[in-house]
Amino acid sequence: MGVPLDVFRLYQILGNPTPHYVLAKAVRPDFPNWNQIAEDAAIDEVERRLNTVVEQKVGPLAARNAEIIATWEGGLPAGDCFYETASDINVPIWFALDAVHPGYFVFGMHPNEATFWQSIEELSRDGEICPITDYIRPAKNVEVRFVQL
């Protein structure tokens, strides 16, 4: 059974003089592993949910100017707000892009880059994410607007 899965997507809103980032969260619904049509429908549903949350929480104009930076699927990023009902809040994150799997990234709320990499090392060692060597250094520290339905 394909279980429900938290999907996070990092966007950059274009057209601003300084970079403006949005981190959106949506849940991919479950589906039977043996049913490719159901899996495709679950993937389409999470895409719809991500598009909806960005448009509703950030606004239609910003949503049209949103460029996808990368996606995180199923991992457990550091930061309590990512597991609560909080939305429309600004939070600082550290993130690193995946060099081996373009379009994916890791992130978390940490006080500095060293603790970010320590957390990523632990997730990698536990098999929660790809090997730590897959991620591009140095990590970036940005403030994001975190939104979810």
Side-chain angles (χ1 to χ4, degrees):
M1 183 67 140
V3 299
L5 185 71
D6 289 343
V7 177
F8 295 88
R9 183 160 294 152
L10 182 63
Y11 298 86
Q12 182 173 356
I13 307 301
L14 304 174
N16 294 321
T18 58
H20 176 73
Y21 296 94
V22 173
L23 180 64
K25 176 186 174 185
V27 177
R28 186 198 70 199
D30 63 347
F31 58 89
N33 284 342
W34 53 266
N35 188 331
Q36 186 63 50
I37 293 171
E39 181 178 356
D40 292 344
I43 292 167
D44 291 345
E45 178 63 17
V46 79
E47 289 297 323
R48 186 194 65 73
R49 289 176 182 179
L50 286 166
N51 291 336
T52 298
V53 72
V54 170
E55 188 164 311
Q56 285 182 356
K57 304 291 185 175
V58 179
L61 179 60
R64 284 193 296 275
N65 292 321
E67 175 183 75
I68 296 171
I69 304 292
T71 301
W72 169 306
E73 296 179 348
L76 300 171
D80 290 342
C81 67
F82 304 127
Y83 308 100
E84 299 169 350
T85 59
S87 187
D88 293 325
I89 60 172
N90 292 330
V91 295
I93 65 166
W94 285 91
F95 79 92
L97 297 173
D98 187 326
V100 177
H101 309 95
Y104 290 92
F105 78 124
V106 290
F107 73 96
M109 293 178 64
H110 298 279
N112 56 53
E113 187 177 11
T115 57
F116 167 74
W117 286 115
Q118 181 180 6
S119 174
I120 297 306
E121 172 67 33
E122 290 170 11
L123 289 170
S124 175
R125 189 175 51 246
D126 293 343
E128 295 290 324
I129 60 171
C130 293
I132 193 168
T133 55
D134 289 2
Y135 301 104
I136 299 171
R137 290 177 188 249
K140 294 182 182 177
N141 183 227
V142 298
E143 183 170 289
V144 299
R145 184 169 175 196
F146 176 60
V147 297
Q148 64 179 331
L149 289 176

